[in-house]
């Protein structure tokens, strides 16, 4: 009976507190699940229901977050990308999260360890940011426990997505990669994986006298992604141009080759296309593709940065 009375008094207190806030400030208390300001902190709190401001993250299970008990946690969730944009006349916000594995109280950072990327989209109703859609496991990627960095982009006429670009080194050989996540589908979904280049920079020399055994002549291939408007298609066509000077077997001669690949939007993602008409499509300026909305600056890891961004 005493417990029941205490519960009633607590409910009355919370009600009076809400009424006092409304009278004094002319508004009801802010609902953490529906923030009036969209940023990394408020979006993370809205998704998980808890958030550690000092550590700028959430430990899973969530009960470990407040006291930051990493020994009892199995996952660290942190904001990877936060941005706002306008789609179909509605102001929206996107939060991409990286989920990192924790072993024995420490984030796992072995070379082979990647991170899971989650993506959540909110819509602004004029007063609050309301959760619209999301997916916990969109793609697993990265190295040393870190996911690659991403950016907000325009995928077509009033279509939006995220482009993630990363790189890695394996026994002296480098590889660059990219993948696209669409925000304009029913749920966020990975639409395309791209090989953006490679090199043997860690096992090569331009001095012919040093070229023996594992030491080879230096070569690299680099990819450039561009976007094309094909007629009245809602989504842009993607063109990947790859230039390579990789040596050929005969005579070990370096021959520069350029290759073009085209990808068109389909129901389940972008598909490679050999349609000749795509070569005549109009090039969309990069500023129009990437100068989209407002992105909150967050720190990024050097472990998964592609070569082109390290130069």
């Amino acid at each position: 009976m005493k417990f029941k009375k205490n519960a009633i008094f607590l409910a009355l207190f919370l009600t009076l507190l809400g009424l006092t806030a409304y009278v004094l400030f002319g508004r009801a208390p802010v609902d953490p699940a529906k923030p009036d300001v969209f940023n990394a902190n408020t979006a993370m709190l809205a998704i998980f229901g808890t958030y550690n401001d000092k550590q700028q993250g959430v430990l899973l299970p969530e009960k470990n977050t407040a006291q930051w008990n990493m020994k009892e946690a199995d996952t660290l969730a942190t904001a990877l990308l936060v941005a706002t944009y306008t789609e179909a006349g509605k102001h929206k916000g996107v939060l991409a999260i990286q989920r990192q594995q924790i072993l024995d109280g420490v984030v796992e950072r072995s070379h082979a360890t990647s991170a899971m990327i989650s993506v959540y989209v909110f819509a602004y109703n004029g007063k609050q940011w309301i959760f619209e859609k999301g997916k916990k496991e969109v793609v697993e990627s990265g190295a040393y426990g870190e996911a690659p960095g991403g950016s907000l982009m325009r995928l077509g006429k009033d279509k939006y997505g995220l482009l993630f670009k990363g790189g890695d080194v394996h026994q002296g050989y480098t590889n660059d990669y990219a993948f696209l996540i669409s925000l304009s589908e029913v749920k966020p979904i990975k639409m395309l994986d791209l090989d953006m280049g490679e090199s043997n920079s860690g096992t090569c020399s331009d001095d012919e006298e040093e070229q023996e055994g594992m030491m080879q002549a230096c070569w690299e291939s680099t990819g450039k992604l561009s976007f094309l408007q094909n007629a009245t298609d809602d989504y842009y066509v993607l063109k990947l141009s790859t230039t390579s000077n990789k040596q050929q077997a005969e005579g070990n001669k370096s021959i520069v080759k350029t290759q073009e690949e085209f990808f068109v939007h389909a129901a389940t993602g972008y598909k490679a296309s050999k349609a000749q008409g795509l070569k005549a499509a109009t090039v969309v300026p990069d500023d129009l593709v990437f100068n989209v909305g407002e992105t909150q600056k967050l720190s990024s890891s050097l472990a998964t940065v592609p070569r082109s961004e390290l130069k």
Side-chain angles (χ1 to χ4, degrees):
M1 181 65 72
K2 183 177 181 181
F3 174 78
K4 185 175 180 181
K5 288 183 178 180
N6 289 338
I8 294 173
F9 284 134
L10 178 61
L12 289 173
F13 172 75
L14 292 175
T15 301
L16 289 173
L17 180 64
L19 290 173
T20 301
Y22 183 81
V23 171
L24 293 177
F25 304 106
R27 56 176 296 173
V30 174
D31 182 352
K34 301 175 182 179
D36 56 357
V37 175
F38 188 82
N39 57 39
N41 297 342
T42 60
M44 288 286 288
L45 179 59
I47 292 298
F48 294 102
T50 184
Y51 182 71
N52 191 305
D53 290 295
K54 183 178 179 180
Q55 301 292 338
Q56 296 187 325
V58 173
L59 291 177
L60 304 174
E62 289 89 339
K63 64 182 181 180
N64 299 297
T65 301
Q67 300 302 318
W68 207 249
N69 186 1
M70 291 190 68
K71 290 185 179 180
E72 297 297 325
D74 57 43
T75 304
L76 168 63
T78 54
L80 184 62
L81 181 148
V82 181
T84 56
Y85 59 102
T86 301
E87 180 183 49
K90 294 182 179 180
H91 204 34
K92 296 192 176 183
V94 58
L95 166 69
I97 294 170
Q98 73 169 352
R99 297 171 185 260
Q100 298 171 285
Q101 183 181 7
I102 295 176
L103 293 177
D104 299 323
V106 179
V107 174
E108 176 62 29
R109 296 192 182 279
S110 67
H111 183 201
T113 303
S114 55
M116 178 60 69
I117 298 176
S118 308
V119 179
Y120 303 97
V121 177
F122 290 73
Y124 188 59
N125 66 3
K127 294 182 179 179
Q128 298 169 308
W129 290 90
I130 310 297
F131 174 79
E132 182 181 86
K133 56 188 174 183
K135 191 173 181 181
K136 179 181 177 181
E137 298 182 352
V138 179
V139 59
E140 189 172 1
S141 184
Y144 299 101
E146 298 275 354
S151 58
L152 178 68
M153 62 171 298
R154 196 187 310 272
L155 281 178
K157 298 177 179 178
D158 215 19
K159 305 294 182 181
Y160 297 87
L162 304 176
L163 174 64
F164 287 85
K165 297 167 66 178
D168 197 7
V169 180
H170 302 271
Q171 298 180 339
Y173 291 84
T174 71
N175 73 289
D176 296 336
Y177 60 89
F179 54 88
L180 279 170
I181 295 175
S182 176
L183 303 177
S184 297
E185 310 298 319
V186 176
K187 285 188 176 182
I189 181 175
K190 184 180 73 170
M191 304 291 282
L192 181 65
D193 279 310
L194 292 166
D195 180 354
M196 298 297 293
E198 58 181 342
S199 81
N200 67 340
S201 60
T203 57
C204 79
S205 174
D206 289 324
D207 186 342
E208 293 185 2
E209 295 183 357
E210 297 179 355
Q211 296 172 10
E212 60 179 354
M214 293 295 293
M215 192 65 67
Q216 308 171 18
C218 296
W219 57 262
E220 69 172 351
S221 65
T222 57
K224 183 183 185 307
L225 190 61
S226 53
F227 301 83
L228 313 175
Q229 179 64 62
N230 186 42
T232 58
D233 291 350
D234 288 337
Y235 283 84
Y236 297 143
V237 173
L238 276 60
K239 182 176 79 170
L240 177 61
S241 304
T242 304
T243 301
S244 174
N245 67 341
K246 190 172 184 178
Q247 280 71 27
Q248 305 301 304
E250 58 279 5
N252 201 34
K253 292 181 179 180
S254 177
I255 301 175
V256 178
K257 289 187 176 182
T258 300
Q259 174 182 312
E260 291 185 343
E261 298 175 87
F262 295 87
F263 302 88
V264 296
H265 181 266
T268 57
Y270 281 89
K271 304 296 182 183
S273 174
K274 296 185 180 297
Q276 293 298 310
L278 297 178
K279 295 182 178 181
T282 304
V283 176
V284 181
D286 284 348
D287 283 348
L288 183 60
V289 174
F290 294 105
N291 189 15
V292 179
E294 296 182 359
T295 300
Q296 181 181 345
K297 297 296 183 182
L298 301 173
S299 60
S300 61
S301 169
L302 287 177
T304 55
V305 174
R307 286 173 295 141
S308 60
E309 296 182 16
L310 289 175
K311 296 178 180 178

